[in-house]
Amino acid sequence: MSRQEREQLDQILRHGEFDIGGDVDEQRVIFHEMISSLPLADDIVTTPGELGGVPVITVGTPGNDPSVVVLYFHGGGYALGSARDSVGLAADVARRVGARVITVDYRLAPEHRYPAALTDAVAAYRALLDSGVPSSQVAFVGESAGGGLVVATLVALKEAGLPQPSSAAVFSPFVDLTLSGASMKTKAEVDPALTPDGLRRRVGDYVAGGDPAVGTVSPIFADLTGLPPLLIQAGSHEILLDDATRLAARAAAYDVLVQLQVWPEVPHVFQGFAALLDEGAEALDSAAAFTKAHWTAG
């Protein structure tokens, strides 16, 4: 059954209108419509607000513990997506972890280039700490560019002398904006969602004429010493596979407690298709167990 699910999802992604490198205004609408086509469960409660002047949406599910918080960062190549678009996946995380999830509506490129997204991420976390939530009761989760932003934020927190959260889990993280991973070429034919040219256009939007190898743009090149326990998940059918595997190796080299999980023959951010794909549900269960274990340890 799983092979049939994988093949069905592959065809859906290949023949959809979404194009990561397409016109920003058009693709934001298409991305939103694609995400909105998946109905939310009736028991999900969303509450708009702000943290540190940054718009956020708090996602609640039945029985969650408000004393523990997942700070969530959506994907979209730093130019697409929103906190609202991430609610479905954030709610899947909330339900499994048993915590409230706050998804951050960080500013997007090209209107707001680097370091706007990073500044917003740090501001939201700082405000959460200032509200009285201890860092040991906060975890980060992010997908795609949001996964890259998670790791970049951890690096920025270290540089600012702020305490690290209890753990971080990243799904298909985009951590090398120089696009130097070998899988950019070796996985291009099997990736149904992303293309190197598309990502290159989004990188240009985000960094403009800046250096994409800066550690808080591409944390694959950063000093990762002192980062919290890190879970990295990816699919083998995505051009960002080497971002995930090299990030795991880099974190291990800097003595970070790291787990790498790669599911075969599934696409970019397959966790978002947990309703259609067994592997997506398995990955979310694993991420939740990882997150809860480090809250307990903290």
Side-chain angles (χ1 to χ4, degrees):
M1 184 63 184
S2 183
R3 175 169 292 279
Q4 181 179 351
E5 292 171 348
R6 293 196 301 270
E7 291 175 352
Q8 179 183 14
L9 178 57
D10 184 272
Q11 290 303 307
I12 291 172
L13 293 174
R14 286 187 187 276
H15 295 98
E17 294 182 84
F18 177 67
D19 175 8
I20 187 63
D23 177 82
V24 166
D25 292 332
E26 291 180 1
Q27 291 305 314
R28 284 174 180 169
V29 173
I30 291 170
F31 188 80
H32 175 72
E33 290 177 347
M34 179 177 69
I35 297 297
S36 301
S37 68
L38 301 173
L40 294 175
D42 292 338
D43 60 358
I44 297 172
V45 177
T46 59
T47 307
E50 67 171 42
L51 275 174
V54 180
V56 298
I57 296 177
T58 299
V59 181
T61 53
N64 62 18
D65 181 353
S67 70
V68 287
V69 179
V70 171
L71 206 59
Y72 190 93
F73 300 93
H74 70 82
Y78 291 105
L80 313 175
S82 66
R84 177 62 60 185
D85 291 340
S86 72
V87 164
L89 185 48
D92 281 344
V93 172
R95 197 181 303 279
R96 286 168 167 82
V97 175
R100 59 180 168 133
V101 173
I102 301 175
T103 178
V104 181
D105 213 12
Y106 58 87
R107 288 170 290 172
L108 299 178
E111 298 91 338
H112 305 282
R113 304 185 188 277
Y114 170 84
L118 182 65
T119 299
D120 289 352
V122 172
Y125 178 65
R126 189 190 295 269
L128 189 60
L129 298 183
D130 290 345
S131 74
V133 180
S135 60
S136 62
Q137 296 301 100
V138 180
F140 286 3
V141 177
E143 30 105 359
S144 192
L149 184 57
V150 162
V151 186
T153 301
L154 298 177
V155 173
L157 296 178
K158 180 180 66 171
E159 293 176 351
L162 291 171
Q164 295 286 328
S166 61
S167 69
V170 291
F171 309 152
S172 300
F174 185 24
V175 291
D176 177 10
L177 275 67
T178 71
L179 308 182
S180 62
S183 57
M184 286 287 162
K185 294 181 179 179
T186 61
K187 294 294 183 177
E189 290 189 5
V190 296
D191 190 325
L194 302 180
T195 65
D197 286 344
L199 290 180
R200 193 169 291 110
R201 182 169 183 183
R202 296 288 80 95
V203 170
D205 289 339
Y206 185 53
V207 302
D211 182 2
V214 170
T216 47
V217 174
S218 296
I220 190 74
F221 304 118
D223 181 341
L224 305 182
T225 304
L227 266 59
L230 179 63
L231 172 68
I232 304 164
Q233 296 182 338
S236 72
H237 280 194
E238 60 172 309
I239 59 175
L240 291 181
L241 175 59
D242 278 3
D243 281 40
T245 58
R246 288 181 299 145
L247 176 63
R250 181 85 172 182
Y254 280 100
D255 299 317
V256 176
L257 178 62
V258 60
Q259 293 184 25
L260 171 67
Q261 300 174 343
V262 180
W263 270 260
E265 299 181 5
V266 294
H268 185 65
V269 193
F270 63 96
Q271 298 87 346
F273 303 95
L276 305 175
L277 197 66
D278 291 342
E279 291 89 341
E282 293 169 5
L284 288 172
D285 288 345
S286 180
F290 176 88
T291 301
K292 290 190 288 187
H294 290 288
W295 269 329
T296 301

